[in-house]
Amino acid sequence: MKSNASEVALDLFPYLKVYKNGTLERIAGVEVVPPGLDPETNVLSKDIVIVPETGVSARIYRPNLISEDRKLPLVVYFHGGAFCVASPAFPPYHTSLNKLVAEANIIALSVDYRLVPEHPLPTAYEDSWVALQWIASHKDEDGNQEAWIKDYVGFEQVFLAGDSAGGNIAHHLALRIKESNLGQKLKILGIGMIHPYFWGTSPIGPELNDRSRKELVDKWWLYVCPTDKGCDDPLINPFVDGESADLAGLACDRILIIVAEKDILKGRGWLYYDKLVKSGWKGKAEIMETEGEDHVFHIFNPDCDNANRLTKRLASFFNQGKLPFQLKCQSEVLG
């Protein structure tokens, strides 16, 4: 017979288990791979410490061969994992970033924000904000400077990007930056949101016909953010009052939202796009839906045709920063 200490008090499938003695066991996102030169993509990476006092760090990527007379776009990336698992060193994320950097010819910085439950929300948002402040400090001459940013980044071409929880983080940072002093130093050109993690108490879209998955996602959020607002906390539901006016304050010129046909979160991504277009925001909104795929499929099946199409679409987005806007909005479905 198992002791009470080894009995599971909470099974947060597929991420982690909490035992009655308080022990936490992460099931997913625990593997790590070291940085270095990836022979398949010829992309170089290394780990850097951003805030020694808290341990906030990042993995930075660049093409192994860079022309000294050309500055590259910088993509600040926030990984997914429901705020409670994974890291930039998780092999699927490391592979994904290598492929993206090679395809887009960019510098990428993948933020290693601290996780729930050891570091309750809003720690992940604050760590990510500090990372942006640190990046902006490279426009000054002093401070804790990273040579790859100082030497290779074009600061007029900075993007935010993330999948799942990381897309959620990118949204909140873009709202915060416009009204801050940081907005005077760091111009965000665009945001790439891949299967963004937004939610709500009342079901919409595919949630209406998939009660079991709706309950599962409810359970995830109530664990990582146990407030009295539940799944309508503004951190997870930006439209809790049915309003979209706040989106007009997003501090960027272009947003690409990518959703997947079989993803339970798909309806939230389309809702975000619709609200954004109607919000009075002055930028260019784009959305792409991948047919036949589920949540973050490109992370776990990076060599499939649809993953390659997704990577190429992101690469195109990150390299159109200096082109004039021709459309207010654009949508596409890729099969």
Side-chain angles (χ1 to χ4, degrees), residues 130-149:
V130 168
L132 288 187
Q133 291 178 312
W134 176 79
I135 290 167
S137 73
H138 287 72
K139 298 183 74 173
D140 303 324
E141 294 300 324
D142 302 322
N144 175 21
Q145 306 251 314
E146 166 53 48
W148 290 6
I149 295 178

Side-chain angles (χ1 to χ4, degrees), residues 139-303:
K139 298 183 74 173
D140 303 324
E141 294 300 324
D142 302 322
N144 175 21
Q145 306 251 314
E146 166 53 48
W148 290 6
I149 295 178
K150 195 74 173 178
D151 295 342
Y152 302 128
V153 165
F155 279 95
E156 76 284 359
Q157 303 176 77
V158 178
F159 293 83
L160 307 181
D163 66 280
S164 197
N168 176 301
I169 291 173
H171 158 79
H172 284 287
L173 295 187
L175 282 178
R176 182 174 177 180
I177 194 172
K178 190 168 186 177
E179 302 302 324
S180 71
N181 292 332
L182 183 59
Q184 306 302 315
K185 296 182 65 176
L186 191 65
K187 165 69 175 176
I188 303 300
L189 200 57
I191 306 175
M193 297 183 186
I194 310 155
H195 312 158
Y197 183 24
F198 299 117
W199 203 238
T201 300
S202 299
I204 64 171
E207 305 158 26
L208 292 165
N209 299 317
D210 197 338
R211 182 174 179 179
S212 61
R213 289 185 77 184
K214 173 70 169 71
E215 292 175 350
L216 189 64
V217 181
D218 286 349
K219 186 177 180 181
W220 297 343
W221 179 252
L222 296 174
Y223 174 75
V224 301
C225 189
T227 69
D228 58 357
K229 297 175 182 177
C231 293
D232 283 332
D233 190 291
L235 289 176
I236 196 68
N237 187 354
F239 313 119
V240 62
D241 296 320
E243 300 294 332
S244 58
D246 284 351
L247 295 183
L250 287 167
C252 62
D253 296 328
R254 304 173 66 238
I255 294 180
L256 170 64
I257 303 159
I258 300 178
V259 298
E261 179 187 14
K262 296 182 178 180
D263 187 1
I264 190 69
L265 301 183
K266 181 183 78 169
R268 302 291 168 172
W270 274 104
L271 177 64
Y272 189 98
Y273 172 77
D274 291 339
K275 294 282 190 180
L276 180 62
V277 170
K278 298 172 183 176
S279 68
W281 176 68
K282 302 302 182 182
K284 177 183 176 182
E286 305 170 69
I287 189 166
M288 181 184 93
E289 179 174 332
T290 308
E291 293 182 337
E293 302 289 359
D294 211 326
H295 193 63
V296 296
F297 71 92
H298 65 295
I299 298 295
F300 294 100
N301 190 12
D303 296 319

